[in-house]
Amino acid sequence: MMTSLKELAIDSTEATILTPAVCAVPVQTPNFYCVRSLSEAYSDGVSKQDTGTLNNVLSTNSSAKVTAVHRNGGHSCAETFCNAAIGMLGAYAKTVTNDTYYSELVAIAFSSAYFHDTIAVRSHNLAIGSPVTLIFSQVVAGAFEMGEGESQGTVQSTFRIDNELLYYASNIDSQSDTTQTSDSQILVVNTTVGSTINICGRLDAIVQVHNGGSIVADYSNTTTFYADSQTPEVILVSASSHDYSSMMPECDRLSRSWRA
């Protein structure tokens, strides 16, 4: 019996985001923003893991690969890598096993990446407390490629904006095929000038194959996260200085810096 992919999920506890006081210049505080990547590979009971976590640094990546030879002559391989940067995440996971008699071969690859940041809502001309409408969005694109054999895979992307959530998921189960998947989602948030918004993006890719087969989840071409203001004369200031603007029609471009 194959292991449920839900059983492979890592601890989703996320690093604490320290929110600065509202002021003209963003306060750079330790752990104020961070990126993280995690890769795990399991092949016939042999595991390998590479993890990277960086605070106040704009990018990181991790990778893992392991190959195991079964006592009955079969072999299995799991490979994964991911890239994490502020506003942009990528994940790739691949597993392969060959089919030999009396062999129980299982390979699992798991890739996860996330970032934290904060966005301060500012304006030169609007008073503190003035109503503001913001649009947050995520764009996800990738593909599953599945060969023969018993295999399954899932990809999930989430974009948390304070207590609101954008969620994307794609799954494939034992179908020999190449499946392109993509999605674009938006969330409208009503807030005020002077507020600070916590955001977190996360991308997970998990694949598993059992006894003679292969599966690839390739979302390495990145999931991208955006923030735009629909209210004129609003400046969005990210703690990381990353520009989240998507150039959506009728939306002001996000400012990289505050000019008093």
Side-chain angles (χ1 to χ4, degrees):
M1 179 179 295
M2 297 183 70
T3 302
S4 169
L5 293 182
K6 293 182 180 179
E7 298 173 11
L8 304 176
I10 63 170
D11 183 2
S12 60
T13 302
E14 297 166 346
T16 301
I17 302 175
L18 302 180
T19 303
V22 174
C23 60
V25 180
V27 177
Q28 295 297 329
T29 306
N31 298 322
F32 188 59
Y33 62 91
C34 68
V35 291
R36 176 192 183 215
S37 62
L38 168 67
S39 296
E40 293 182 338
Y42 302 86
S43 185
D44 197 28
V46 181
S47 66
K48 181 177 180 181
Q49 175 178 317
D50 294 294
T51 307
T53 302
L54 297 176
N55 295 326
N56 294 349
V57 178
L58 291 184
S59 64
T60 186
N61 59 76
S62 65
S63 63
K65 183 177 182 179
V66 59
T67 301
V69 178
H70 195 273
R71 61 183 177 274
N72 290 325
H75 69 270
S76 57
C77 179
E79 179 179 3
T80 178
F81 66 83
C82 58
N83 299 287
I86 297 295
M88 186 174 293
L89 303 174
Y92 175 94
K94 176 182 180 180
T95 53
V96 179
T97 65
N98 72 336
D99 191 9
T100 58
Y101 195 54
Y102 295 128
S103 292
E104 290 293 331
L105 300 173
V106 178
I108 302 168
F110 174 45
S111 180
S112 180
Y114 75 74
F115 72 91
H116 285 144
D117 203 354
T118 61
I119 293 178
V121 182
R122 303 287 184 256
S123 176
H124 289 296
N125 301 316
L126 300 179
I128 296 293
S130 298
V132 171
T133 299
L134 304 181
I135 298 178
F136 293 87
S137 57
Q138 69 171 355
V139 178
V140 187
F144 284 106
E145 183 174 354
M146 181 176 290
E148 300 295 332
E150 185 181 358
S151 55
Q152 58 184 170
T154 185
V155 169
Q156 297 179 347
S157 177
T158 59
F159 190 18
R160 183 173 295 279
I161 302 97
D162 281 342
N163 295 322
E164 301 290 338
L165 185 70
L166 289 172
Y167 176 76
Y168 165 86
S170 181
N171 301 279
I172 192 169
D173 190 358
S174 296
Q175 298 175 356
S176 182
D177 195 7
T178 298
T179 303
Q180 302 285 338
T181 61
S182 63
D183 195 18
S184 178
Q185 303 169 326
I186 65 169
L187 175 68
V188 177
V189 174
N190 293 312
T191 185
T192 59
V193 174
S195 64
T196 300
I197 298 173
N198 298 319
I199 64 174
C200 178
R202 177 165 174 170
L203 177 64
D204 296 326
I206 310 173
V207 295
Q208 175 177 283
V209 66
H210 179 74
N211 282 348
S214 65
I215 182 173
V216 175
D218 188 354
Y219 284 72
S220 57
N221 288 332
T222 71
T223 296
T224 311
F225 305 84
Y226 300 103
D228 298 281
S229 173
Q230 203 172 35
T231 304
E233 300 184 352
V234 166
I235 301 172
L236 302 181
V237 184
S238 65
S240 64
S241 297
H242 177 74
D243 185 350
Y244 286 95
S245 62
S246 67
M247 300 301 292
M248 294 180 65
E250 300 180 357
C251 285
D252 281 0
R253 185 169 178 79
L254 184 151
S255 174
R256 289 178 177 271
S257 62
W258 173 267
R259 294 188 295 273

Short mmCIF file of all heavy atoms in Angstrom, two decimals, residues 18-71:
data_model
loop_
_atom_site.label_atom_id
_atom_site.label_comp_id
_atom_site.label_asym_id
_atom_site.label_seq_id
_atom_site.Cartn_x
_atom_site.Cartn_y
_atom_site.Cartn_z
N LEU A 18 7.77 39.82 12.97
CA LEU A 18 7.74 40.96 13.87
C LEU A 18 7.26 42.18 13.10
O LEU A 18 7.88 42.58 12.12
CB LEU A 18 9.12 41.21 14.47
CG LEU A 18 9.71 40.02 15.24
CD1 LEU A 18 11.08 40.39 15.78
CD2 LEU A 18 8.79 39.60 16.37
N THR A 19 6.15 42.77 13.53
CA THR A 19 5.58 43.92 12.84
C THR A 19 6.09 45.20 13.46
O THR A 19 5.96 45.40 14.66
CB THR A 19 4.05 43.89 12.93
OG1 THR A 19 3.59 42.65 12.39
CG2 THR A 19 3.44 45.03 12.15
N PRO A 20 6.68 46.11 12.67
CA PRO A 20 7.21 47.34 13.25
C PRO A 20 6.12 48.36 13.51
O PRO A 20 4.99 48.23 13.05
CB PRO A 20 8.13 47.85 12.14
CG PRO A 20 7.44 47.40 10.90
CD PRO A 20 6.84 46.06 11.23
N ALA A 21 6.46 49.37 14.26
CA ALA A 21 5.53 50.47 14.46
C ALA A 21 5.30 51.20 13.14
O ALA A 21 6.17 51.22 12.27
CB ALA A 21 6.10 51.44 15.51
N VAL A 22 4.13 51.78 12.97
CA VAL A 22 3.83 52.53 11.75
C VAL A 22 4.67 53.81 11.74
O VAL A 22 4.65 54.61 12.65
CB VAL A 22 2.34 52.89 11.71
CG1 VAL A 22 2.05 53.78 10.51
CG2 VAL A 22 1.50 51.63 11.63
N CYS A 23 5.45 53.97 10.70
CA CYS A 23 6.30 55.15 10.58
C CYS A 23 6.66 55.34 9.12
O CYS A 23 6.35 54.51 8.28
CB CYS A 23 7.56 55.01 11.44
SG CYS A 23 8.58 53.60 10.99
N ALA A 24 7.32 56.43 8.82
CA ALA A 24 7.62 56.76 7.43
C ALA A 24 8.66 55.82 6.82
O ALA A 24 8.59 55.49 5.65
CB ALA A 24 8.12 58.20 7.34
N VAL A 25 9.61 55.37 7.63
CA VAL A 25 10.67 54.51 7.13
C VAL A 25 10.51 53.13 7.74
O VAL A 25 10.44 53.00 8.96
CB VAL A 25 12.07 55.08 7.47
CG1 VAL A 25 13.16 54.16 6.95
CG2 VAL A 25 12.22 56.47 6.90
N PRO A 26 10.41 52.04 6.93
CA PRO A 26 10.24 50.70 7.48
C PRO A 26 11.38 50.35 8.44
O PRO A 26 12.53 50.64 8.19
CB PRO A 26 10.28 49.80 6.24
CG PRO A 26 9.92 50.69 5.11
CD PRO A 26 10.46 52.04 5.47
N VAL A 27 11.03 49.72 9.54
CA VAL A 27 12.03 49.31 10.53
C VAL A 27 12.57 47.95 10.14
O VAL A 27 11.82 47.00 9.96
CB VAL A 27 11.39 49.24 11.93
CG1 VAL A 27 12.41 48.74 12.95
CG2 VAL A 27 10.85 50.61 12.33
N GLN A 28 13.88 47.84 9.99
CA GLN A 28 14.50 46.57 9.66
C GLN A 28 14.80 45.81 10.96
O GLN A 28 15.68 46.18 11.72
CB GLN A 28 15.79 46.80 8.86
CG GLN A 28 15.56 47.43 7.49
CD GLN A 28 14.73 46.54 6.59
OE1 GLN A 28 14.79 45.32 6.68
NE2 GLN A 28 13.95 47.13 5.71
N THR A 29 14.03 44.78 11.23
CA THR A 29 14.13 44.02 12.46
C THR A 29 14.54 42.59 12.13
O THR A 29 14.10 42.04 11.13
CB THR A 29 12.75 44.00 13.17
OG1 THR A 29 12.29 45.34 13.32
CG2 THR A 29 12.84 43.33 14.52
N PRO A 30 15.36 41.93 12.94
CA PRO A 30 15.69 40.52 12.70
C PRO A 30 14.42 39.69 12.55
O PRO A 30 13.45 39.89 13.30
CB PRO A 30 16.48 40.15 13.95
CG PRO A 30 17.09 41.42 14.42
CD PRO A 30 16.07 42.48 14.11
N ASN A 31 14.41 38.79 11.58
CA ASN A 31 13.27 37.94 11.25
C ASN A 31 12.10 38.74 10.67
O ASN A 31 10.98 38.24 10.60
CB ASN A 31 12.79 37.15 12.47
CG ASN A 31 13.84 36.21 13.00
OD1 ASN A 31 14.57 35.60 12.23
ND2 ASN A 31 13.93 36.10 14.30
N PHE A 32 12.36 39.96 10.29
CA PHE A 32 11.29 40.80 9.74
C PHE A 32 10.79 40.23 8.42
O PHE A 32 9.61 40.31 8.11
CB PHE A 32 11.81 42.23 9.57
CG PHE A 32 10.75 43.22 9.20
CD1 PHE A 32 9.66 43.42 10.03
CD2 PHE A 32 10.84 43.94 8.03
CE1 PHE A 32 8.68 44.34 9.70
CE2 PHE A 32 9.87 44.86 7.70
CZ PHE A 32 8.79 45.06 8.53
N TYR A 33 11.68 39.67 7.66
CA TYR A 33 11.27 38.89 6.50
C TYR A 33 12.25 37.75 6.34
O TYR A 33 13.39 37.82 6.79
CB TYR A 33 11.18 39.73 5.23
CG TYR A 33 12.48 40.37 4.79
CD1 TYR A 33 13.33 39.71 3.90
CD2 TYR A 33 12.85 41.63 5.24
CE1 TYR A 33 14.51 40.30 3.48
CE2 TYR A 33 14.02 42.23 4.84
CZ TYR A 33 14.85 41.56 3.96
OH TYR A 33 16.01 42.14 3.55
N CYS A 34 11.83 36.68 5.73
CA CYS A 34 12.72 35.53 5.58
C CYS A 34 12.28 34.67 4.41
O CYS A 34 11.15 34.76 3.93
CB CYS A 34 12.78 34.70 6.86
SG CYS A 34 11.25 33.83 7.26
N VAL A 35 13.18 33.83 3.92
CA VAL A 35 12.89 32.84 2.90
C VAL A 35 13.41 31.50 3.37
O VAL A 35 14.34 31.42 4.17
CB VAL A 35 13.52 33.21 1.53
CG1 VAL A 35 12.85 34.42 0.93
CG2 VAL A 35 15.02 33.45 1.69
N ARG A 36 12.81 30.43 2.87
CA ARG A 36 13.23 29.10 3.29
C ARG A 36 12.98 28.10 2.17
O ARG A 36 11.99 28.20 1.44
CB ARG A 36 12.44 28.66 4.52
CG ARG A 36 12.76 27.22 4.96
CD ARG A 36 11.75 26.74 5.98
NE ARG A 36 12.09 25.41 6.46
CZ ARG A 36 11.20 24.49 6.77
NH1 ARG A 36 9.93 24.74 6.61
NH2 ARG A 36 11.57 23.31 7.22
N SER A 37 13.86 27.12 2.06
CA SER A 37 13.62 26.01 1.14
C SER A 37 13.96 24.70 1.83
O SER A 37 14.85 24.64 2.68
CB SER A 37 14.47 26.17 -0.13
OG SER A 37 15.85 26.13 0.18
N LEU A 38 13.26 23.64 1.46
CA LEU A 38 13.45 22.33 2.05
C LEU A 38 13.28 21.27 0.98
O LEU A 38 12.30 21.28 0.24
CB LEU A 38 12.44 22.09 3.18
CG LEU A 38 12.32 20.66 3.72
CD1 LEU A 38 13.60 20.26 4.43
CD2 LEU A 38 11.14 20.54 4.66
N SER A 39 14.25 20.36 0.88
CA SER A 39 14.15 19.24 -0.05
C SER A 39 14.39 17.94 0.71
O SER A 39 15.35 17.84 1.47
CB SER A 39 15.19 19.36 -1.17
OG SER A 39 14.96 20.50 -1.97
N GLU A 40 13.53 16.96 0.50
CA GLU A 40 13.70 15.65 1.11
C GLU A 40 13.52 14.57 0.04
O GLU A 40 12.63 14.68 -0.81
CB GLU A 40 12.68 15.44 2.23
CG GLU A 40 12.89 16.34 3.44
CD GLU A 40 11.88 16.06 4.54
OE1 GLU A 40 10.82 15.50 4.23
OE2 GLU A 40 12.17 16.40 5.70
N ALA A 41 14.36 13.56 0.08
CA ALA A 41 14.27 12.45 -0.87
C ALA A 41 14.39 11.14 -0.10
O ALA A 41 15.25 10.99 0.76
CB ALA A 41 15.39 12.55 -1.91
N TYR A 42 13.50 10.19 -0.43
CA TYR A 42 13.50 8.87 0.20
C TYR A 42 13.49 7.82 -0.90
O TYR A 42 12.69 7.88 -1.82
CB TYR A 42 12.27 8.68 1.08
CG TYR A 42 12.12 9.71 2.17
CD1 TYR A 42 11.50 10.92 1.91
CD2 TYR A 42 12.61 9.48 3.45
CE1 TYR A 42 11.35 11.88 2.90
CE2 TYR A 42 12.47 10.43 4.46
CZ TYR A 42 11.84 11.63 4.18
OH TYR A 42 11.70 12.57 5.16
N SER A 43 14.37 6.85 -0.78
CA SER A 43 14.44 5.80 -1.79
C SER A 43 14.71 4.46 -1.11
O SER A 43 15.80 4.24 -0.57
CB SER A 43 15.56 6.11 -2.80
OG SER A 43 15.57 5.17 -3.84
N ASP A 44 13.69 3.61 -1.09
CA ASP A 44 13.81 2.28 -0.50
C ASP A 44 14.35 2.34 0.93
O ASP A 44 15.24 1.57 1.32
CB ASP A 44 14.69 1.38 -1.38
CG ASP A 44 14.49 -0.10 -1.03
OD1 ASP A 44 13.40 -0.45 -0.56
OD2 ASP A 44 15.45 -0.88 -1.19
N GLY A 45 13.83 3.27 1.70
CA GLY A 45 14.22 3.36 3.10
C GLY A 45 15.44 4.22 3.36
O GLY A 45 15.77 4.50 4.52
N VAL A 46 16.13 4.67 2.32
CA VAL A 46 17.29 5.54 2.48
C VAL A 46 16.84 6.98 2.26
O VAL A 46 16.12 7.26 1.31
CB VAL A 46 18.40 5.18 1.46
CG1 VAL A 46 19.61 6.09 1.64
CG2 VAL A 46 18.80 3.72 1.63
N SER A 47 17.24 7.87 3.13
CA SER A 47 16.76 9.24 3.04
C SER A 47 17.90 10.23 2.98
O SER A 47 19.01 9.97 3.45
CB SER A 47 15.85 9.58 4.23
OG SER A 47 16.59 9.58 5.44
N LYS A 48 17.62 11.40 2.40
CA LYS A 48 18.57 12.50 2.36
C LYS A 48 17.78 13.80 2.42
O LYS A 48 16.72 13.91 1.81
CB LYS A 48 19.42 12.46 1.08
CG LYS A 48 20.44 13.60 1.00
CD LYS A 48 21.30 13.47 -0.25
CE LYS A 48 22.31 14.60 -0.32
NZ LYS A 48 23.16 14.53 -1.53
N GLN A 49 18.31 14.76 3.14
CA GLN A 49 17.60 16.03 3.31
C GLN A 49 18.59 17.18 3.30
O GLN A 49 19.65 17.11 3.90
CB GLN A 49 16.84 16.02 4.63
CG GLN A 49 16.17 17.35 4.97
CD GLN A 49 15.40 17.26 6.26
OE1 GLN A 49 14.71 16.29 6.51
NE2 GLN A 49 15.52 18.28 7.09
N ASP A 50 18.24 18.24 2.59
CA ASP A 50 19.02 19.48 2.58
C ASP A 50 18.07 20.62 2.85
O ASP A 50 17.05 20.75 2.19
CB ASP A 50 19.71 19.69 1.22
CG ASP A 50 20.76 18.62 0.95
OD1 ASP A 50 21.76 18.61 1.69
OD2 ASP A 50 20.58 17.83 0.04
N THR A 51 18.41 21.44 3.81
CA THR A 51 17.53 22.51 4.23
C THR A 51 18.28 23.83 4.28
O THR A 51 19.42 23.88 4.72
CB THR A 51 16.93 22.23 5.62
OG1 THR A 51 16.34 20.94 5.63
CG2 THR A 51 15.88 23.26 5.99
N GLY A 52 17.63 24.88 3.83
CA GLY A 52 18.22 26.21 3.97
C GLY A 52 17.18 27.19 4.49
O GLY A 52 16.05 27.19 4.04
N THR A 53 17.57 28.00 5.45
CA THR A 53 16.69 29.04 5.97
C THR A 53 17.50 30.31 6.12
O THR A 53 18.55 30.30 6.75
CB THR A 53 16.11 28.66 7.35
OG1 THR A 53 15.41 27.42 7.23
CG2 THR A 53 15.15 29.73 7.85
N LEU A 54 17.01 31.39 5.54
CA LEU A 54 17.73 32.66 5.60
C LEU A 54 16.79 33.76 6.04
O LEU A 54 15.66 33.85 5.56
CB LEU A 54 18.32 33.00 4.23
CG LEU A 54 19.37 32.03 3.67
CD1 LEU A 54 19.78 32.46 2.27
CD2 LEU A 54 20.59 31.98 4.57
N ASN A 55 17.25 34.60 6.94
CA ASN A 55 16.51 35.78 7.36
C ASN A 55 17.15 37.03 6.77
O ASN A 55 18.37 37.17 6.79
CB ASN A 55 16.50 35.89 8.88
CG ASN A 55 15.76 34.74 9.54
OD1 ASN A 55 14.78 34.24 8.98
ND2 ASN A 55 16.22 34.31 10.69
N ASN A 56 16.31 37.92 6.28
CA ASN A 56 16.78 39.19 5.70
C ASN A 56 17.77 38.99 4.55
O ASN A 56 18.66 39.79 4.32
CB ASN A 56 17.40 40.07 6.79
CG ASN A 56 16.36 40.53 7.80
OD1 ASN A 56 15.16 40.35 7.59
ND2 ASN A 56 16.81 41.11 8.88
N VAL A 57 17.66 37.89 3.86
CA VAL A 57 18.41 37.62 2.64
C VAL A 57 17.38 37.23 1.58
O VAL A 57 16.44 36.51 1.87
CB VAL A 57 19.44 36.50 2.83
CG1 VAL A 57 20.18 36.22 1.54
CG2 VAL A 57 20.43 36.88 3.94
N LEU A 58 17.57 37.69 0.36
CA LEU A 58 16.48 37.63 -0.61
C LEU A 58 16.31 36.33 -1.37
O LEU A 58 15.38 36.18 -2.12
CB LEU A 58 16.62 38.79 -1.60
CG LEU A 58 16.37 40.18 -1.00
CD1 LEU A 58 16.45 41.24 -2.08
CD2 LEU A 58 15.03 40.25 -0.30
N SER A 59 17.22 35.37 -1.24
CA SER A 59 17.00 34.12 -1.97
C SER A 59 17.76 32.98 -1.32
O SER A 59 18.76 33.18 -0.65
CB SER A 59 17.43 34.25 -3.43
OG SER A 59 18.82 34.47 -3.52
N THR A 60 17.26 31.79 -1.52
CA THR A 60 17.93 30.58 -1.05
C THR A 60 17.42 29.41 -1.89
O THR A 60 16.39 29.49 -2.52
CB THR A 60 17.68 30.31 0.45
OG1 THR A 60 18.47 29.20 0.87
CG2 THR A 60 16.23 30.01 0.71
N ASN A 61 18.13 28.30 -1.86
CA ASN A 61 17.70 27.11 -2.58
C ASN A 61 18.21 25.87 -1.87
O ASN A 61 19.13 25.93 -1.07
CB ASN A 61 18.18 27.13 -4.04
CG ASN A 61 19.67 27.22 -4.15
OD1 ASN A 61 20.38 26.23 -3.95
ND2 ASN A 61 20.19 28.40 -4.47
N SER A 62 17.59 24.73 -2.17
CA SER A 62 18.02 23.47 -1.60
C SER A 62 17.77 22.36 -2.60
O SER A 62 16.95 22.49 -3.52
CB SER A 62 17.28 23.19 -0.29
OG SER A 62 15.90 23.01 -0.53
N SER A 63 18.47 21.24 -2.42
CA SER A 63 18.31 20.10 -3.31
C SER A 63 18.66 18.81 -2.56
O SER A 63 19.39 18.82 -1.58
CB SER A 63 19.19 20.24 -4.56
OG SER A 63 20.55 20.26 -4.19
N ALA A 64 18.13 17.71 -3.05
CA ALA A 64 18.43 16.41 -2.46
C ALA A 64 18.26 15.34 -3.53
O ALA A 64 17.39 15.44 -4.40
CB ALA A 64 17.53 16.12 -1.27
N LYS A 65 19.11 14.33 -3.48
CA LYS A 65 19.00 13.21 -4.42
C LYS A 65 19.55 11.95 -3.75
O LYS A 65 20.60 12.00 -3.10
CB LYS A 65 19.78 13.49 -5.71
CG LYS A 65 19.64 12.38 -6.76
CD LYS A 65 20.36 12.74 -8.05
CE LYS A 65 20.19 11.66 -9.10
NZ LYS A 65 20.86 12.02 -10.38
N VAL A 66 18.82 10.86 -3.89
CA VAL A 66 19.27 9.60 -3.31
C VAL A 66 18.85 8.44 -4.22
O VAL A 66 17.76 8.46 -4.79
CB VAL A 66 18.71 9.41 -1.88
CG1 VAL A 66 17.20 9.42 -1.88
CG2 VAL A 66 19.26 8.15 -1.24
N THR A 67 19.73 7.47 -4.38
CA THR A 67 19.47 6.27 -5.16
C THR A 67 19.75 5.05 -4.29
O THR A 67 20.75 5.01 -3.58
CB THR A 67 20.34 6.20 -6.42
OG1 THR A 67 20.09 7.35 -7.23
CG2 THR A 67 20.06 4.95 -7.22
N ALA A 68 18.85 4.08 -4.31
CA ALA A 68 19.02 2.87 -3.50
C ALA A 68 18.85 1.64 -4.36
O ALA A 68 18.06 1.62 -5.30
CB ALA A 68 18.01 2.86 -2.36
N VAL A 69 19.63 0.59 -4.05
CA VAL A 69 19.53 -0.70 -4.74
C VAL A 69 18.86 -1.68 -3.80
O VAL A 69 19.30 -1.88 -2.66
CB VAL A 69 20.92 -1.21 -5.14
CG1 VAL A 69 20.80 -2.58 -5.82
CG2 VAL A 69 21.61 -0.22 -6.07
N HIS A 70 17.79 -2.29 -4.27
CA HIS A 70 17.05 -3.24 -3.47
C HIS A 70 17.78 -4.58 -3.43
O HIS A 70 18.51 -4.93 -4.36
CB HIS A 70 15.64 -3.42 -4.04
CG HIS A 70 14.67 -4.10 -3.13
ND1 HIS A 70 14.54 -5.46 -3.08
CD2 HIS A 70 13.78 -3.59 -2.24
CE1 HIS A 70 13.60 -5.77 -2.18
NE2 HIS A 70 13.12 -4.65 -1.67
N ARG A 71 17.58 -5.33 -2.36
CA ARG A 71 18.27 -6.62 -2.20
C ARG A 71 17.91 -7.62 -3.30
O ARG A 71 18.67 -8.54 -3.59
CB ARG A 71 17.94 -7.23 -0.83
CG ARG A 71 16.48 -7.50 -0.61
CD ARG A 71 16.21 -8.04 0.81
NE ARG A 71 14.81 -8.25 1.07
CZ ARG A 71 13.98 -7.33 1.49
NH1 ARG A 71 14.43 -6.10 1.70
NH2 ARG A 71 12.70 -7.61 1.71
#
